[in-house]
């Protein structure tokens, strides 16, 4: 009986954890209207952990900066990917804090170095 209870408790804990961290975007973000043109939300955490954005082409630094300025304070991490490659792990750039992580070019630079 104890094993059954323990298994059930672990299962429920695992389910609630994943539900807290990941949710489909489905228009639930009030800031969607604040995104620069050409970006769409494909996934987000309801608790502000992350948001994943997609676009038809790789966005320039000016759009990365504009995105950080408009929604950066609401999320710990902002990931950019392409419409055609938008699974987790397909991100080509991420913003964490004031740092930009360019995954394609293996480069890290500060948002402060990007001019508007």
């Amino acid at each position: 009986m104890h094993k059954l209870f323990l298994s059930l408790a672990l299962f429920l804990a695992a389910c609630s954890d994943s539900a807290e961290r990941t949710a489909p975007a489905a228009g639930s973000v009030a800031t969607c209207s604040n995104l620069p043109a050409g970006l769409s939300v494909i996934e987000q955490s309801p608790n502000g952990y992350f948001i994943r954005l997609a676009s038809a082409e790789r966005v320039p630094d000016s759009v990365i900066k504009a995105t950080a300025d408009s929604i950066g304070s609401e999320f710990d991490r902002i990931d950019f990917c392409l419409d055609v490659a938008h699974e987790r792990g397909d991100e080509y750039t991420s913003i964490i804090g004031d740092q930009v992580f360019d995954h394609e070019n293996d480069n890290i630079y500060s948002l402060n170095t990007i001019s508007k």
Side-chain angles (χ1 to χ4, degrees), residues 65-83:
K65 175 76 168 164
T67 304
D69 290 345
S70 64
I71 65 169
S73 64
E74 298 177 39
F75 297 96
D76 295 334
R77 177 182 176 132
I78 302 170
D79 291 325
F80 295 86
C81 56
L82 298 173
D83 292 333

Side-chain angles (χ1 to χ4, degrees), residues 41-72:
V41 178
I42 57 170
E43 184 180 12
Q44 76 175 54
S45 164
N47 296 328
Y49 295 124
F50 69 90
I51 187 167
R52 296 180 64 240
L53 307 173
S55 59
E57 298 177 349
R58 186 180 164 111
V59 296
D61 282 349
S62 59
V63 174
I64 292 172
K65 175 76 168 164
T67 304
D69 290 345
S70 64
I71 65 169

Side-chain angles (χ1 to χ4, degrees), residues 60-66 68-69 93 95 98-100 109-116:
D61 282 349
S62 59
V63 174
I64 292 172
K65 175 76 168 164
D69 290 345
T93 297
I95 302 170
D98 67 347
Q99 299 293 308
V100 178
Y109 56 96
S110 174
L111 278 170
N112 300 328
T113 62
I114 301 173
S115 59
K116 291 185 180 184

Side-chain angles (χ1 to χ4, degrees), residues 3-48:
K3 288 181 182 179
L4 179 62
F5 178 73
L6 182 59
S7 296
L8 181 60
L10 289 172
F11 175 75
L12 291 174
C15 289
S16 66
D17 187 43
S18 64
E20 280 181 17
R21 293 186 182 212
T22 309
S28 62
V29 184
T31 58
C32 282
S33 61
N34 295 341
L35 289 175
L39 292 174
S40 60
V41 178
I42 57 170
E43 184 180 12
Q44 76 175 54
S45 164
N47 296 328

